[in-house]
Amino acid sequence: MFSLRGGETTSSNGTSRVSTIRLDDVEWPQQSSILMLKIDVEGFELNALRSAEKLFREKRIHHLIFEYTAWWTDRAPQKELIPFVEKTLGAKQLFALDRIDSTVYGPLTRYALNRFHDVHVRRHLQTDIYATFIESGVSPTLKVQPYKVISSFA
């Protein structure tokens, strides 16, 4: 179990002890920003992001990349992950990053987002999601392709 309050956490099988701290509880320098936050915590991404809600609400985090693996049986929170990033944290745009051929798909449309989890479960896909939180549009240097629910490998 991942403690939302921080402190010591015991894994679900009881064999590991890990110290955690909420990102909102870190004493960040005033007026500082986090240009890019990368999270890969083996299925605990939702918990890690919940620990940073204040940072997102204050618009201190500009970009986020997180691992998305919906098909493992213990990954039930993954279904809630993208809606949380979009609705609660306020992502402006979401992109899927293909790990095999370095393709960036997006921005993800409402149609793709509504089907994303089920397609990833059915096809056993693992990907990273890139989210933007600032109003700057797609960088002209970011080369993207449209995401197609059926054919994109993201």
Side-chain angles (χ1 to χ4, degrees), residues 11-32:
S11 71
S12 60
N13 66 9
T15 60
S16 299
R17 294 186 89 64
V18 178
S19 293
T20 62
I21 185 168
R22 292 172 32 81
L23 291 171
D24 283 343
D25 294 340
V26 172
E27 292 185 25
W28 302 100
Q30 287 198 5
Q31 307 302 317
S32 66

Side-chain angles (χ1 to χ4, degrees), residues 2-8 20-29 34 47-58 60-61:
F2 184 94
S3 171
L4 295 178
R5 293 180 303 278
E8 194 160 291
T20 62
I21 185 168
R22 292 172 32 81
L23 291 171
D24 283 343
D25 294 340
V26 172
E27 292 185 25
W28 302 100
I34 299 169
N47 297 77
L49 290 171
R50 283 181 174 150
S51 86
E53 282 186 66
K54 180 181 174 191
L55 290 168
F56 283 100
R57 193 170 44 255
E58 293 173 351
R60 294 177 74 179
I61 298 174

Side-chain angles (χ1 to χ4, degrees), residues 52-78:
E53 282 186 66
K54 180 181 174 191
L55 290 168
F56 283 100
R57 193 170 44 255
E58 293 173 351
K59 305 205 182 311
R60 294 177 74 179
I61 298 174
H62 297 186
H63 304 271
L64 167 68
I65 295 177
F66 60 92
E67 184 176 75
Y68 188 80
T69 308
W71 54 271
W72 288 337
T73 57
D74 63 344
R75 301 298 193 230
Q78 294 286 303

Side-chain angles (χ1 to χ4, degrees), residues 96-99 105 116 120 123 125-127 147 151-154:
L97 308 178
D98 189 320
R99 293 175 161 197
Y105 293 105
F116 201 82
H120 276 67
R123 295 180 60 200
L125 300 176
Q126 182 178 32
T127 191
Y147 179 82
S151 62
S152 294
F153 182 71

Side-chain angles (χ1 to χ4, degrees), residues 95-109:
F95 300 83
L97 308 178
D98 189 320
R99 293 175 161 197
I100 294 173
D101 68 6
S102 302
T103 302
V104 177
Y105 293 105
L108 298 176
T109 64

Side-chain angles (χ1 to χ4, degrees), residues 77-133:
Q78 294 286 303
K79 188 167 190 168
E80 302 169 30
L81 186 53
I82 291 175
F84 179 81
V85 169
E86 185 180 30
K87 295 174 185 162
T88 303
L89 300 182
K92 303 297 181 198
Q93 293 182 315
L94 296 165
F95 300 83
L97 308 178
D98 189 320
R99 293 175 161 197
I100 294 173
D101 68 6
S102 302
T103 302
V104 177
Y105 293 105
L108 298 176
T109 64
R110 175 61 35 214
Y111 176 82
L113 287 168
N114 289 342
R115 290 152 185 80
F116 201 82
H117 178 267
D118 294 337
V119 168
H120 276 67
V121 168
R122 189 175 64 249
R123 295 180 60 200
H124 287 238
L125 300 176
Q126 182 178 32
T127 191
D128 289 318
I129 301 294
Y130 165 53
T132 63
F133 293 88

